[in-house]
Structures are given as C-alpha cells and as structure tokens.
C-alpha cells in the first residue's frame, strides 16, 4: 500500500471513532513498523489535522463540546472517586495540569471517557511507574472537562463541590 493511501485510511480510522486507536493496532492493520505510523501521524499533523496522542492511542480533534476548567484538590486515594463524579455527571476529563511555582504550567492529556479509563489510570499510578501530577502541588490540580452542554458542566461543578473536590477560584 502506498504511504499516501495508508495515511488516508489512518485518518479515516481515527476520525470515525470516539475511542483512541493505539499505534500498535495501526501497525498491525497496515503491516508496517510503529515508527512508520509515528511518521504518518507527524505528516498528517503537518498537513493541518488535529491529531492528539493520548496514553491509549491517537484521536482526531473532538467535535465541538462545551469545556470548563475546574480546580480540584484531593488525596491520591480519591483519584477514582473524583473521576467517577465527573464522568457519571456526563463529563469527559480531557487533561490535568498544575501550576508549579518553579516550572510553571505542567500538563498531560488524559481523555478519560468512562470509569474504566479512570481505573486504568489509577492502576498505572498505583503500580509505582509514576507519581500523579498533583503530587508536586500538594494535591492541587486543574482539569479541563468537556460535556455536551453548559448545563452538564454546571451539574459537574455542583457535584464536585458537593463531593469536596472543587476549589473555588
């Protein structure tokens, strides 16, 4: 298969699903190396496509959704509870970021769409591979959350406040 045709198919695959597609799946599908997939994604980005790499794979820019940033604080053990509150109220956790006094803003794309994603993240952190980003700021952190409507974001704000996770800015 020619590279141009492969890139068109990659774009079609990641554009026609809400779920991230891992490079390993694309590698197998097109019978090429992972490096070829990474190069294809770089070329597609250079051609103006909004492709994001998450910890679960590639996604094409989301359809227009309402977004809001929430400042939160909680313990390590409450990561799943915080995520569940947001997701069960209809939100998607797009990212996490902290404002470090020395290093400035440090962020990571999350794209957590369901409770299973939150639990996978928690298991990764519990394994000791890395510490949660919020650990560098004593539990304080921000999430960009998206939802179908502003009203849903209002509800997410309410449940975060009621759960004791929301820090009023």
């Amino acid at each position: 298969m020619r590279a141009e045709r492969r890139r068109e198919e990659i774009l079609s695959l990641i554009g026609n699903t809400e779920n991230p597609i891992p490079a390993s799946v694309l590698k197998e599908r097109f019978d090429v190396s992972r490096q070829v997939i990474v190069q294809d994604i770089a070329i597609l980005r250079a051609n103006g496509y909004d492709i994001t790499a998450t910890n679960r794979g590639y996604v094409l820019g989301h359809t227009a959704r309402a977004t809001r940033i929430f400042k939160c604080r909680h313990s390590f053990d409450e990561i799943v509870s915080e995520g569940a509150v947001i997701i069960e109220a209809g939100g998607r956790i797009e990212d996490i970021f902290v404002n470090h006094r020395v290093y400035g803003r440090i962020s990571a794309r999350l794209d957590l769409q369901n409770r299973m994603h939150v639990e996978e993240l928690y298991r990764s952190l519990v394994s000791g591979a890395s510490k949660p980003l919020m650990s560098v700021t004593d539990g304080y952190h921000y999430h960009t959350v998206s939802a179908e409507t502003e009203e849903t974001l209002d509800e997410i704000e309410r449940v975060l406040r009621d759960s004791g996770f929301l820090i009023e800015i």
Side-chain angles (χ1 to χ4, degrees):
M1 173 181 292
R2 290 186 38 211
E4 188 173 307
R5 178 72 181 137
R6 183 179 60 246
R7 287 185 206 110
E8 288 173 6
E9 288 191 31
I10 289 171
L11 197 56
S12 176
L13 285 169
I14 64 176
N16 289 319
T17 182
E18 283 287 313
N19 299 317
I21 299 185
S24 60
V25 169
L26 296 172
K27 169 181 137 5
E28 294 298 319
R29 166 87 162 77
F30 297 108
D31 194 30
V32 295
S33 70
R34 188 176 190 292
Q35 185 57 36
V36 168
I37 297 299
V38 170
Q39 290 170 347
D40 285 344
I41 296 295
I43 290 167
L44 289 168
R45 285 177 176 153
N47 287 324
Y49 292 99
D50 180 22
I51 300 172
T52 302
T54 72
N55 61 339
R56 288 183 315 284
Y58 295 109
V59 292
L60 190 59
H62 296 297
T63 57
R65 292 171 56 93
T67 61
R68 192 173 300 169
I69 294 174
F70 296 105
K71 183 177 184 180
C72 300
R73 183 174 190 231
H74 54 75
S75 70
F76 178 82
D77 293 332
E78 294 173 306
I79 289 173
V80 173
S81 298
E82 178 206 43
V85 161
I86 293 169
I87 288 166
E88 289 169 10
R92 175 186 297 158
I93 305 168
E94 302 291 344
D95 66 12
I96 183 172
F97 64 94
V98 297
N99 289 321
H100 192 276
R101 290 179 191 222
V102 175
Y103 301 119
R105 182 178 171 151
I106 305 168
S107 65
R109 177 104 175 136
L110 294 176
D111 194 32
L112 304 176
Q113 300 177 33
N114 56 49
R115 189 175 178 113
M116 184 180 73
H117 292 162
V118 175
E119 290 169 357
E120 286 173 10
L121 172 68
Y122 182 74
R123 280 193 301 273
S124 294
L125 294 169
V126 166
S127 74
S130 293
K131 294 203 181 286
L133 195 52
M134 66 183 209
S135 68
V136 300
T137 54
D138 196 30
Y140 291 97
H141 60 283
Y142 299 83
H143 287 296
T144 304
V145 175
S146 67
E148 292 296 323
T149 65
E150 287 292 331
E151 291 77 19
T152 302
L153 290 172
D154 291 342
E155 175 64 11
I156 292 167
E157 185 172 334
R158 184 190 67 72
V159 296
L160 282 170
R161 183 179 297 110
D162 291 351
S163 300
F165 298 133
L166 187 67
I167 302 297
E168 303 293 337
I169 301 176

